[in-house]
């Protein structure tokens, strides 16, 4: 962490495409778990915030799914690649 926060943050799950690589990243950076299916993670009741740091062509799909699941969403720019998205 770069700075102290007023409230504790629980870093529950980090998601990636490669199970071994994401498990290694989780251990290195302090995540409680790792996973490879973002859809399953978004469906979980214990997830409140989804921070989307994927390639830009997947931002809209993940953001919409997370919002529909009632999650708060943080997203790298661009949020979408077209006005229609």
């Amino acid at each position: 962490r770069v700075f102290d926060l007023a409230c504790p943050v629980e870093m529950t799950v980090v998601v990636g495409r490669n199970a071994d690589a994401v498990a290694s990243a989780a251990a290195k950076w302090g995540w409680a778990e790792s996973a490879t299916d973002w859809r399953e993670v978004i469906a979980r009741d214990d997830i409140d915030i989804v921070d989307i740091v994927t390639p830009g062509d997947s931002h809209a799909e993940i953001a919409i799914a997370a919002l529909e699941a009632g999650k708060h969403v943080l997203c790298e720019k661009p949020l979408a690649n077209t006005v229609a998205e």
Side-chain angles (χ1 to χ4, degrees):
R1 297 198 172 92
V2 176
F3 51 88
D4 292 330
L5 300 174
C7 298
V9 175
E10 182 180 330
M11 298 186 337
T12 305
V13 185
V14 62
V15 180
R17 293 176 287 193
N18 179 293
D20 292 335
V22 76
S24 177
K28 180 177 181 178
W29 298 107
W31 292 87
E33 302 173 43
S34 63
T36 57
D37 187 340
W38 63 264
R39 290 172 183 86
E40 287 181 6
V41 173
I42 286 174
R44 290 174 46 165
D45 291 335
D46 63 329
I47 302 300
D48 299 315
I49 300 171
V50 176
D51 187 4
I52 304 167
V53 292
T54 61
D57 64 346
S58 62
H59 287 182
E61 178 184 14
I62 299 170
I64 291 166
L67 290 166
E68 287 176 346
K71 310 304 179 187
H72 298 280
V73 172
L74 304 171
C75 188
E76 284 188 312
K77 58 183 178 182
L79 184 58
N81 289 316
T82 66
V83 173
E85 281 183 338

